[in-house]
Amino acid sequence: MSPVATAPVRAQVALRAERELRPALPTPTTRHASFEPAAVFAVAYAVYAGIGLYSTLALHIVLGDAESRFAHAYFVFWNAPAKLTAIGFYWPPLQTLVLLPFAAIRPLATSLAALPLVSGLFAAGLLVVLDRTLTLARLARGSRLALLAAFGLNPMILYFAVNGMAEVVYLFFLAFGFHLFVRWVLTPRWFDLPFAGIAFALGSLSRYEVAFWLPLVVAGAAWVMVQRRESLARIEASLVALIVPTLYAFILWVFVNWTVAGDPTAFLAVAHRPNLPAQGSLADVFLLQAGLFPLLVPLVVLLVVDVARRRSPVSFTIAAALVVNAATTGAFLLYAREQAPLLIRYNFRAVPLALIAIAWLLARFPRRRRRIGAIAATVGVALCIPATAETMLRTHNQLGESAFLHGLFTDRSQDGKPGPKGPGLSIADQTDMAQYIRRHVRGRNAILADDSQAFGVMLRDGDPRRYLDRIDFGDRKWLLVRDHPRNHVRYFLVERGATRSRDPVFYDRILDAYPSLARGPTPAFLRLAHENATYALYQIRRTDL
Amino acid sequence: MGSRDETFYRQLAERAGLDYVRLEAGAVDAEAAQLFPAELARRFDAIAVRVEHDALTVAAATVEAEQLAAVVHGVTGRKAHIVVTTPERIIAAQEQVFGSPPVLRTDRFLPAAQAPPAETAFLRRLAASRGLEFTELSALERECDVEAARLIPERLSRRLRVLGLGVDGDELRLTTAYPLDERALTVVESVTGYTPHQIIAPSSRIHAGLDRAFAGAGRRQPLGPPPTNGGRAYEAGRRLGELLIAARALSPASLRHALAVQRRTGDRIGRVLVSLGYISQERLAATLAEQLRVTHAHAYEVRPKGAVASALPESVCRAHLFVPLDIVDGVLVVAMADPVSSDAATALRTSTALPTRVLVATESSVRAALEQLFADRYVDLATVELVRRRPEESAHRVLPPAQKLFFLVLLAAVGIGLAIAAVPTLIALTLLSILFYFAGAAYKLALVSHGVRKPAEVPVSANELALLEDRSLPTYTILVPLYHEAELAAQIVEAIDALDYPKTKLDVKLLVEEDDAATIAAVRRARLGSHCHVVVVPDSQPRTKPKACNYGLLHARGEYVVIFDAEDAPEPDQLRKAVIAFRKAPPEVVCVQAKLNYWNRNQNLLTRWFTAEYSQWFDLFLPGLSATRAPIPLGGTSCHFVTEKLLELGAWDPFNVTEDADVGIRLARAGYTTVMIDSTTYEEANSRVYNWIRQRSRWIKGYMQTWLVHMRHPLQLWDELGPAGFSSFQLVVGGTALTVLLNPIYWGLTSAWALTEAGVIRHLFPGPIYFAAAFNLLFGNFAFTYLNAAGAYRRGYYDLVKYSLFSPLYWALMSVAAWKGLLQLVTRPSYWEKTVHGLAEASR
């Protein structure tokens, strides 16, 4: 038996001393009206949703990735059998998971209206986060809102907010994580760092590369605590709180890949596959990023100066965060020989952090200069708008950015506008085929389709049960049916241009078995039922001719 | 007739050169009348009318003013101005002021006290030096003639400390504690008519003789503050401190110190002196008796007769600390602990029609006497009061008939469902479980989020603490239930002594069970201050902590009450913070919950987990409940209550093994609120797995009991708590028990599915149910693990953060405890699984 505890009272003395070191209850350092975040959100969401619905429904500006992701979210609920694994392992899971609530609402989903509504949510949330960060800098409300407006109307931000893609999702979490880090430095809120850890975890599940920013925050937090002479235990605990959520997220995702796909690294295998030959240099990277948001360069310079003068860990962290995007793009270009990282959307990642950098720098200004600084920053951010627009229109490595601007400027549908790999997505063709199928095809699993290509038709149709796709029973059974379709399915649905030669990863696997369906003669056992520029529906004859 | 008397007495007065007054009703100043005691006033047919400057005007029906003036002067110390009035007017005034005349006397007396040897030797020498006789008065029955003793009125006898032994011719043999001066001798002669012959004797023997002579004398002694303004107690030389110094029981320096403390705390000087240890309770009682000229009863003399139990209402006795001892010839003999209290005097006067005789005794002896008289009633109150008043809120029955029927019907429905359509039934049950899990998790996360963004503790600043004056502090009752905790007795006493609260305002009850001899002995060995009282709870079922606390609560005199366990070490300023919190809070706040944590947190992995869990519960979760005004299942200790409100609620349920959680819900149902303060009580975390399981099984069993009790009338509960409170109750109290019961089932299913991918398991989790279950498993478990880590981080226990990440293993232990608790709920619902303490090592 252990000795009886001898000193609860003595322990009390020690505990009292400990208590003095215990983090104090948080005290807010800035005052803000409680309605402001809600108002910023409401206004931003209204604007983004409005523009987004217009661009999606009227201008038909829909990206294939966005539609594919959303379709697979839709299949989670409406497929037969309903499966969570319909989200697939190609993209990080959160990109699709955030779409689920809207995918459950059929009219929103099939009309594609859900796309801008989802991305608008996160874009509005991003503005709220940046507004809160600017509040930490004790800026007047007018200055804050002007800065926010200038940023929120940046064409790339606008594009992310309306296109239903996942960029704005991870940008939200990335910005939130950095906001919490800066707030933790400026105010004694103990919970900011653990929440930042969760933000980074969610960001990593939205885009794996967000994890690249986490070590910067970890290093910055450690440096701050060393400067504050915190105990080793506290430093350790704080870093654990930062890192563990992201670590757990990755372990969880690996486990899911292992149990479902049979390969724990399946997500890595598909995430980075070469799709275009590498063309470009580091200078191209710099010009691209500087062209997209010119203010990045002076901000980095100012932060580096602050690091040199005041040895500020936060300035170091934010400066490094602004540079990480360029660094990773350059690394992929040089060492992985990949072209994809030069896409515009992959080089805009650090831009929301620019506003956090502005907030941090302004917070360090004396009060009088802060107002001038805010005005200068607002002008700078506003001047980035035409720069960004120009880059969107001119840059070759893009995914619909110029079509978006053209559509807005000309009020004309951009349906089917060519993309970097050839003909662009055609909503009209999807709708046409879907309508035909709804009118003429009945029954469950009547149509064999490769969901990775036919997702648009399946979504527009609204009834995935009509299709025997790769989600239903897995690839093995699907391939068997593909090779021996009679008595299993009545139709084939193919995307004619999706051949393996066009894209070795994204191709229609029915065309793999029946290459003549792409542009050649129709096999004897099939009869062409309906076609348009993108899709063809073949009926399987009951007997051979 | 009256007018002829008046004419006669007017003429009498004129002849004697005295003034005549027509003494009207109401003309007598009652305070002045008290200066000349009733027995003397009746003896001389006189009454003191008023005080004029330093003279006392006495109305008499006699013209022998000289003798009367001498007696008046001797008794009151004032010059007498005699005026004449008729006897009828005298009698009428006496009756108006003094009440009915006294009843007959008897020979019964109280046991004698023995004089200490030192006093005897001193008195012998004194007598020898004055040429007086000395007697030890060891045989009062033989030596003292009661009639002779009664020649001098009792009050005068006690004041002068004289006892008549017998009459010898025209001499009265008179024992006295000190040689009387001429004036006193004159008084005695005037009163008795005999020439006093002094004999020195010990004062204790003289008092014993007086007790013997005047036992059952049956007068209503005016009680409360000294009889008049500037009465005896406040006369120079008569104040408590002065008497103690005169008796060499106290030094002037000690008195000065005590007075300084008194000025700061506002307490009575007697209580201060005892709390500082300068005098004993017995000495205080004896000195009070001397001051007020009443009898002191020693502890062994305070032995009430069973027959007098109904002579005074028990609740009044308990509230004002007096106990009936005996009825002697129609006179109720009462021992009082606080004879100076006018409330007590009034209560006594209004509680009985019998004339009373008051003895001064110590508080502990009065309490012991009350225990002796009323133990059965106290046990009854402690055990069944809640059952009597609110049977539907007591866990004395696990399932009342209606509830039993409901569960039987539910079980039958599930059984029929399983028989007819097993898979859909199981799917439905799974769905319900998953929804409950999800709702519980979401709610708890929302609460924590709310609590961290907006601290819910009542803020108490260092400035407020500094400005809180001791004299404004109320009396605080601390209940410390002890059972088989002999080794911790000294520890808790030390912890309470360390509290920063005036000891004179603490009312500590160490509650020990009658059959726990070891703990009783340990407690009695401990150096207890005067603020600590040992309360022995009679052996009765159920033997539970709440029953013991109810028993102790009956004797609480504090405005607030708190429970501390034996192993507790509260922060020293906790009581002050609670007082400030109560004063700042609105009236519906009747409970202040402090935080609990552990001082041996680093002892082993179990204590680390336990500490992280407690940190999360008290630093994150409960503040969220408090902030949203949800009903709070209180912690087992360090809940501070407004005593009156707690009693109004029926105090604790002795049949509920988590009486704290239960009372938290009951007070919410009654419309009261609990707030939190940022003050911590450190306890000993269970460091042994089996001991931990036993403790946790009791807690979970208690939560089940609490849920069952309050769900007996769900509609009524909904009305009382509101929809939000009702939902919170389900998720927090019900959910806590249900989730740990279900966890092993779903962990088992998950493991079986991962290993076998059995189709039957797949069928139980179709589509959306599978998604929800997966979400609960993957994100819910992580969220709560992270919360445990966050709780440890919040409290500053940074070294525990990494251990918190392995909390799921800890939850497995909780599930083991939960099933044990469920089994015990069926077999032994009110059995108190006693946690063994004292196993810890001090935390590094």
Side-chain angles (χ1 to χ4, degrees):
Chain A
M1 190 167 165
S2 300
V4 168
T6 55
V9 177
R10 262 178 272 147
Q12 231 183 65
V13 172
L15 289 164
R16 235 178 283 143
E18 259 190 41
R19 190 169 154 268
E20 285 160 7
L21 297 173
R22 202 196 323 156
L25 291 173
T27 52
T29 58
T30 56
R31 294 174 148 272
H32 56 266
S34 59
F35 68 86
E36 185 177 318
V40 166
F41 184 88
V43 170
Y45 189 55
V47 170
Y48 290 144
I51 296 174
L53 288 171
Y54 168 67
S55 72
T56 303
L57 302 179
L59 302 180
H60 303 116
I61 300 171
V62 178
L63 296 176
D65 280 1
E67 194 185 19
S68 174
R69 216 171 0 250
F70 192 81
H72 286 85
Y74 185 78
F75 298 157
V76 166
F77 294 106
W78 304 106
N79 197 47
K83 280 187 177 182
L84 183 60
T85 50
I87 66 172
F89 298 95
Y90 183 76
W91 292 288
L94 207 63
Q95 291 185 7
T96 316
L97 288 174
V98 298
L99 301 172
L100 287 179
F102 287 83
I105 307 171
R106 215 168 208 169
L108 277 183
T110 56
S111 66
L112 301 179
L115 288 174
L117 292 180
V118 173
S119 54
L121 269 179
F122 283 91
L126 175 63
L127 288 193
V128 171
V129 167
L130 297 176
D131 175 60
R132 294 298 92 210
T133 314
L134 292 170
T135 306
L136 293 173
R138 297 185 185 84
L139 293 185
R141 190 181 300 159
S143 304
R144 285 204 300 275
L145 295 179
L147 251 178
L148 274 183
F151 179 80
L153 292 174
N154 183 286
M156 276 302 286
I157 296 296
L158 208 57
Y159 186 50
F160 287 155
V162 306
N163 65 8
M165 291 287 280
E167 268 73 24
V168 73
V169 177
Y170 76 77
L171 287 180
F172 166 77
F173 286 114
L174 181 65
F176 192 34
F178 271 89
H179 159 73
L180 289 169
F181 169 65
V182 172
R183 195 169 78 173
W184 170 78
V185 173
L186 291 176
T187 65
R189 292 187 207 225
W190 66 272
F191 50 87
D192 279 343
L193 218 53
F195 277 4
I198 293 176
F200 277 102
L202 293 172
S204 301
L205 287 178
S206 311
R207 192 85 202 175
Y208 304 131
E209 293 91 314
V210 169
F212 291 157
W213 275 272
L214 180 59
L216 299 179
V217 174
V218 170
W223 188 355
V224 167
M225 285 187 281
V226 167
Q227 275 191 344
R228 289 179 181 173
R229 300 180 191 220
E230 300 283 4
S231 65
L232 273 177
R234 183 168 185 179
I235 294 175
E236 178 197 72
S238 304
L239 300 185
V240 165
L242 259 181
I243 296 169
V244 159
T246 303
L247 199 61
Y248 177 76
F250 272 110
I251 291 172
L252 184 63
W253 190 229
V254 164
F255 178 75
V256 171
N257 273 254
W258 177 40
T259 53
V260 179
D263 177 7
T265 60
F267 67 103
L268 288 175
V270 297
H272 290 286
R273 83 288 181 279
N275 52 7
L276 288 171
Q279 291 174 15
S281 63
L282 290 178
D284 293 328
V285 175
F286 174 78
L287 288 171
L288 177 61
Q289 297 215 343
L292 275 172
F293 202 82
L295 199 57
L296 277 179
V297 176
L299 280 176
V300 171
V301 169
L302 284 172
L303 288 167
V304 169
V305 167
D306 195 47
V307 173
R309 282 182 60 198
R310 298 196 222 185
R311 304 178 85 80
S312 164
V314 179
S315 295
F316 167 79
T317 304
I318 298 177
L322 293 178
V323 168
V324 156
N325 191 188
T328 50
T329 301
F332 275 114
L333 196 63
L334 291 179
Y335 297 107
R337 307 305 300 164
E338 287 191 30
Q339 187 71 3
L342 275 177
L343 286 172
I344 295 177
R345 63 190 179 117
Y346 294 149
N347 289 278
F348 202 75
R349 290 170 180 167
V351 170
L353 302 183
L355 246 71
I356 293 179
I358 289 169
W360 169 252
L361 288 169
L362 289 176
R364 295 163 86 69
F365 280 20
R367 197 176 160 189
R368 260 195 286 172
R369 286 193 211 164
R370 208 177 293 152
R371 195 154 176 261
I372 300 167
I375 294 171
T378 305
V379 169
V381 172
L383 288 175
C384 288
I385 292 175
T388 306
E390 182 65 20
T391 307
M392 287 166 74
L393 289 169
R394 276 192 304 105
T395 303
H396 172 70
N397 294 308
Q398 57 169 271
L399 202 67
E401 285 86 350
S402 62
F404 171 67
L405 289 180
H406 280 132
L408 285 183
F409 293 153
T410 62
D411 192 25
R412 283 190 198 153
S413 171
Q414 304 296 303
D415 191 44
K417 282 283 191 291
K421 300 182 228 175
L425 193 75
S426 173
I427 301 299
D429 287 351
Q430 290 175 0
T431 309
D432 168 68
M433 183 58 72
Q435 284 173 349
Y436 180 86
I437 289 172
R438 271 205 301 272
R439 279 198 301 271
H440 296 97
V441 180
R442 296 278 182 271
R444 204 158 154 161
N445 293 332
I447 306 171
L448 186 76
D450 185 348
D451 53 275
S452 68
Q453 304 307 308
F455 56 84
V457 175
M458 295 167 69
L459 179 63
R460 301 294 277 170
D461 177 4
D463 190 2
R465 296 174 300 177
R466 235 194 289 272
Y467 304 81
L468 178 62
D469 51 57
R470 290 161 62 194
I471 299 169
D472 290 344
F473 304 107
D475 277 0
R476 194 191 304 179
K477 181 162 181 185
W478 188 87
L479 290 169
L480 273 174
V481 173
R482 180 195 67 174
D483 295 338
H484 306 282
R486 208 168 259 146
N487 298 324
H488 291 103
V489 294
R490 304 203 311 272
Y491 295 89
F492 279 174
L493 174 64
V494 297
E495 183 186 340
R496 279 206 169 117
T499 58
R500 192 194 282 253
S501 57
R502 188 190 77 174
D503 188 327
V505 176
F506 281 113
Y507 60 93
D508 194 319
R509 279 148 181 81
I510 296 178
L511 292 180
D512 225 30
Y514 308 100
S516 62
L517 294 180
R519 278 290 177 260
T522 304
F525 73 99
L526 295 174
R527 181 183 71 79
L528 181 66
H530 184 69
E531 65 175 342
N532 55 37
T534 309
Y535 302 99
L537 182 71
Y538 295 93
Q539 189 177 21
I540 297 167
R541 298 178 195 278
R542 292 189 188 175
T543 55
D544 286 339
L545 291 177
Chain B
M1 190 67 157
S3 61
R4 274 174 58 185
D5 283 344
E6 284 190 26
T7 306
F8 171 74
Y9 278 95
R10 185 177 287 117
Q11 289 170 353
L12 198 63
E14 279 175 11
R15 289 202 190 113
L18 298 171
D19 294 328
Y20 174 81
V21 294
R22 190 187 166 87
L23 193 63
E24 301 292 347
V28 176
D29 179 7
E31 287 186 1
Q34 300 290 347
L35 285 175
F36 194 56
E39 59 273 26
L40 283 172
R42 289 195 172 100
R43 176 75 64 87
F44 288 93
D45 291 326
I47 185 164
V49 176
R50 59 181 168 271
V51 175
E52 286 172 334
H53 305 295
D54 61 338
L56 182 65
T57 300
V58 178
T62 177
V63 294
E64 293 179 4
E66 229 174 298
Q67 186 186 22
L68 178 58
V71 172
V72 168
H73 184 262
V75 172
T76 67
R78 293 173 187 273
K79 276 171 63 176
H81 173 224
I82 308 299
V83 297
V84 179
T85 190
T86 64
E88 289 83 7
R89 290 187 187 277
I90 297 286
I91 290 169
Q94 285 175 346
E95 284 189 356
Q96 185 182 3
V97 173
F98 300 128
S100 309
V103 299
L104 298 175
R105 303 167 297 191
T106 71
D107 290 328
R108 304 218 24 205
F109 60 93
L110 293 167
Q114 298 301 318
E119 187 187 357
T120 306
F122 167 73
L123 291 173
R124 259 186 218 282
R125 288 196 299 276
L126 176 64
S129 71
R130 298 294 184 94
L132 297 172
E133 289 174 47
F134 172 78
T135 177
E136 287 192 23
L137 269 188
S138 52
L140 278 169
E141 309 88 294
R142 228 177 346 99
E143 295 177 66
C144 176
D145 180 344
V146 169
E147 289 303 322
R150 289 172 180 166
L151 283 173
I152 306 170
E154 183 186 6
R155 194 153 187 159
L156 184 61
S157 298
R158 291 194 188 277
R159 183 180 177 276
L160 296 176
R161 278 188 281 174
V162 296
L163 174 69
L165 294 182
V167 169
D168 195 2
D170 60 351
E171 277 191 351
L172 172 66
R173 290 176 59 251
L174 187 74
T175 53
T176 172
Y178 61 90
L180 298 175
D181 60 11
E182 280 301 311
R183 185 182 298 175
L185 289 170
T186 304
V187 169
V188 170
E189 190 172 2
S190 302
V191 170
T192 63
Y194 292 95
T195 305
H197 174 80
Q198 293 188 76
I199 304 169
I200 303 297
S203 64
S204 57
R205 299 304 299 153
I206 292 172
H207 280 295
L210 289 172
D211 290 341
R212 175 175 175 274
F214 292 101
R219 66 193 58 72
R220 282 183 188 270
Q221 294 185 17
L223 301 168
T228 64
N229 291 333
R232 285 288 174 262
Y234 298 118
E235 285 182 3
R238 297 299 306 170
R239 288 178 286 202
L240 192 71
E242 291 163 343
L243 288 172
L244 287 166
I245 289 175
R248 299 190 187 187
L250 183 70
S251 70
S254 302
L255 178 62
R256 280 194 296 276
H257 177 222
L259 287 170
V261 172
Q262 186 200 30
R263 276 192 291 276
R264 196 182 75 238
T265 64
D267 283 306
R268 291 199 210 137
I269 187 62
R271 194 183 286 280
V272 173
L273 287 167
V274 170
S275 79
L276 291 173
Y278 290 145
I279 60 173
S280 66
Q281 287 195 32
E282 281 288 351
R283 172 63 73 174
L284 174 63
T287 311
L288 275 175
E290 183 187 346
Q291 184 186 52
L292 300 173
R293 298 188 188 84
V294 296
T295 308
H296 168 230
H298 295 273
Y300 61 84
E301 296 169 321
V302 184
R303 295 277 182 267
K305 301 261 191 312
V308 301
S310 57
L312 293 171
E314 177 277 324
S315 57
V316 175
C317 292
R318 184 164 27 102
H320 296 287
L321 287 176
F322 50 71
V323 59
L325 296 180
D326 200 357
I327 296 177
V328 179
D329 290 336
V331 176
L332 182 62
V333 182
V334 179
M336 285 188 85
D338 191 0
V340 184
S341 163
S342 54
D343 288 342
T346 307
L348 177 60
R349 198 176 296 126
T350 55
S351 297
T352 178
L354 293 174
T356 55
R357 175 185 169 78
V358 168
L359 312 174
V360 182
T362 62
E363 183 178 328
S364 49
S365 58
V366 169
R367 289 193 187 282
L370 286 171
E371 292 285 325
Q372 182 189 336
L373 262 188
F374 301 115
D376 289 342
R377 174 157 166 73
Y378 293 156
V379 169
D380 181 70
L381 283 172
T383 310
V384 297
E385 181 65 6
L386 183 67
V387 176
R388 251 199 302 269
R389 284 166 53 182
R390 301 168 191 235
E392 288 303 297
E393 292 182 14
S394 169
H396 71 291
R397 286 180 305 180
V398 177
L399 290 176
Q403 214 171 24
K404 212 177 279 188
L405 181 65
F406 170 78
F407 282 111
L408 283 172
V409 167
L410 187 66
L411 277 171
V414 170
I416 291 169
L418 286 170
I420 296 174
V423 172
T425 304
L426 287 171
I427 291 174
L429 290 173
T430 303
L431 177 63
L432 286 172
S433 305
I434 286 167
L435 288 174
F436 197 79
Y437 266 112
F438 181 78
Y443 179 61
K444 287 178 181 176
L445 289 173
L447 280 180
V448 169
S449 171
H450 192 101
V452 300
R453 282 183 291 112
K454 218 173 161 188
E457 294 92 342
V458 175
V460 177
S461 66
N463 201 37
E464 285 172 319
L465 282 170
L467 290 175
L468 185 64
E469 289 187 351
D470 285 1
R471 66 172 44 245
S472 74
L473 290 172
T475 302
Y476 224 111
T477 296
I478 300 175
L479 301 176
V480 184
L482 298 161
Y483 189 53
H484 291 322
E485 287 165 318
E487 68 277 9
L488 297 176
Q491 179 175 310
I492 185 59
V493 170
E494 196 182 341
I496 288 174
D497 282 346
L499 287 172
D500 179 17
Y501 207 84
K503 299 298 175 281
T504 51
K505 300 198 175 186
L506 281 181
D507 172 35
V508 180
K509 310 285 185 210
L510 303 173
L511 310 171
V512 290
E513 297 284 342
E514 189 178 29
D515 65 337
D516 186 8
T519 306
I520 292 174
V523 162
R524 295 207 192 282
R525 274 197 307 272
R527 292 172 62 181
L528 302 179
S530 61
H531 51 285
C532 295
H533 311 107
V534 179
V535 177
V536 179
V537 181
D539 189 12
S540 65
Q541 293 297 329
R543 186 181 293 112
T544 60
K545 172 182 162 183
K547 191 206 70 185
C549 291
N550 285 345
Y551 196 91
L553 185 66
L554 290 171
H555 304 287
R557 47 182 191 84
E559 183 178 333
Y560 304 119
V561 61
V562 64
I563 296 178
F564 289 131
D565 283 345
E567 74 278 15
D568 284 1
E571 286 181 344
D573 57 3
Q574 187 171 119
L575 299 192
R576 288 176 181 268
K577 282 186 173 176
V579 168
I580 292 172
F582 275 121
R583 289 178 180 171
K584 288 167 95 166
E588 65 267 20
V589 172
V590 302
C591 179
V592 170
Q593 169 78 67
K595 300 178 182 180
L596 302 180
N597 216 285
Y598 296 115
W599 46 264
N600 61 325
R601 63 183 185 276
N602 281 323
Q603 184 171 343
N604 56 29
L605 185 57
L606 182 62
T607 60
R608 289 184 174 101
W609 281 336
F610 205 174
T611 305
E613 180 198 13
Y614 250 40
S615 302
Q616 184 250 108
W617 184 263
F618 283 97
D619 285 284
L620 298 181
F621 184 60
L622 286 197
L625 280 178
S626 176
T628 54
R629 299 191 156 242
I632 295 181
L634 299 171
T637 82
S638 309
C639 331
H640 303 253
F641 296 94
V642 176
T643 307
E644 179 194 344
K645 297 298 180 190
L646 180 62
L647 288 167
E648 179 188 299
L649 286 169
W652 295 282
D653 181 359
F655 298 93
N656 191 318
V657 297
T658 52
E659 76 291 347
D660 40 357
D662 171 69
V663 82
I665 306 303
R666 275 197 281 124
L667 68 88
R669 292 182 69 169
Y672 296 123
T673 310
T674 300
V675 296
M676 294 194 70
I677 51 172
D678 186 21
S679 175
T680 302
T681 296
Y682 295 93
E683 300 188 299
E684 177 192 335
N686 243 311
S687 53
R688 303 291 165 87
V689 172
Y690 182 60
N691 203 30
W692 182 94
I693 288 175
R694 290 174 62 237
Q695 183 186 54
R696 189 53 60 107
S697 71
R698 174 172 64 80
W699 292 359
I700 296 175
K701 180 176 76 172
Y703 266 52
M704 295 181 209
Q705 279 182 311
T706 303
W707 187 84
L708 286 171
V709 164
H710 292 285
M711 282 297 285
R712 286 174 180 167
H713 302 285
L715 293 177
Q716 183 183 346
L717 185 67
W718 177 281
D719 277 339
E720 289 172 352
L721 294 181
F726 181 88
S727 305
S728 175
F729 172 73
Q730 303 305 322
L731 295 173
V732 174
V733 178
T736 297
L738 187 62
T739 48
V740 288
L741 284 172
L742 292 178
N743 278 346
I745 298 172
Y746 289 106
W747 290 336
L749 283 172
T750 306
S751 305
W753 167 248
L755 291 171
T756 66
E757 292 197 27
V760 62
I761 299 177
R762 186 205 305 270
H763 288 310
L764 291 181
F765 294 88
I769 295 179
Y770 173 73
F771 306 149
F775 183 85
N776 280 344
L777 176 69
L778 301 173
F779 292 100
N781 280 298
F782 174 76
F784 282 100
T785 303
Y786 202 62
L787 270 184
N788 272 358
Y793 189 91
R794 166 71 184 90
R795 181 149 274 273
Y797 296 156
Y798 304 113
D799 48 338
L800 298 188
V801 168
K802 52 184 179 287
Y803 296 102
S804 308
L805 300 176
F806 299 95
S807 293
L809 298 173
Y810 181 63
W811 299 338
L813 285 179
M814 287 170 68
S815 291
V816 171
W819 282 96
K820 181 175 185 300
L822 178 63
L823 195 63
Q824 223 179 61
L825 183 67
V826 174
T827 57
R828 304 164 82 181
S830 293
Y831 173 67
W832 190 278
E833 192 84 65
K834 178 75 182 80
T835 309
V836 177
H837 290 294
L839 304 176
E841 298 158 6
S843 183
R844 277 176 288 132

